[in-house]
Amino acid sequence: QVQLVESGGGLVQPGGSLRLSCAASRNIVSFKRMGWFRQAPGKERELVAMFTSGSNRNYADAVKGRFTISRDNIKNTIYLQMNSLKPEDTAVYYCTAVLAGGHYDVEYPYWGQGTQVTVSS
């Protein structure tokens, strides 16, 4: 079983910055996809940033230029650096991953518990 643990959420003022971490219970090179979703109140869960094949990265249009996903393969951890935060970034942020070579009934079978990010003045 894969375990993912997020940390780093909190309350921040608009324009501020925050860095989220997601620590995995196994070597993250075994994941063919790993990254971040978020879910705001009353909205669907949406992709924020994702490592895909190799070190390729995908970002949601809403966060391009403000958020950066990175990884540390030694620490088995990925990060989400969030800059210029806006109130609309307020959401629960979830870490997710897909094992290389895996076959699943859902696109993203592994999830962390989530960490709350609140952007408010």
Side-chain angles (χ1 to χ4, degrees), residues 8-61:
L11 175 64
V12 64
Q13 295 185 168
S17 297
L18 209 58
R19 189 180 74 159
L20 306 182
S21 300
C22 173
S25 62
R26 63 181 296 154
N27 54 305
I28 63 174
V29 297
S30 65
F31 297 117
K32 66 180 180 181
R33 289 181 179 268
M34 190 176 186
W36 298 90
F37 278 70
R38 69 185 181 186
Q39 188 165 25
K43 299 184 68 177
E44 297 292 325
R45 190 169 297 187
E46 63 178 351
L47 185 146
V48 177
M50 186 71 59
F51 282 111
T52 57
S53 59
S55 295
N56 293 331
R57 305 168 186 180
N58 291 335
Y59 292 97
D61 289 342

Side-chain angles (χ1 to χ4, degrees), residues 28-101:
I28 63 174
V29 297
S30 65
F31 297 117
K32 66 180 180 181
R33 289 181 179 268
M34 190 176 186
W36 298 90
F37 278 70
R38 69 185 181 186
Q39 188 165 25
K43 299 184 68 177
E44 297 292 325
R45 190 169 297 187
E46 63 178 351
L47 185 146
V48 177
M50 186 71 59
F51 282 111
T52 57
S53 59
S55 295
N56 293 331
R57 305 168 186 180
N58 291 335
Y59 292 97
D61 289 342
V63 307
K64 287 181 179 177
R66 299 189 298 120
F67 290 10
T68 303
I69 188 172
S70 61
R71 69 199 301 166
D72 187 330
N73 290 344
I74 301 301
K75 295 182 178 179
N76 293 324
T77 299
I78 65 167
Y79 305 92
L80 185 68
Q81 179 66 47
M82 304 183 294
N83 298 326
S84 301
L85 283 162
K86 305 174 181 179
E88 51 262 45
D89 295 317
T90 296
V92 178
Y93 284 71
Y94 297 92
C95 182
T96 189
V98 181
L99 283 168

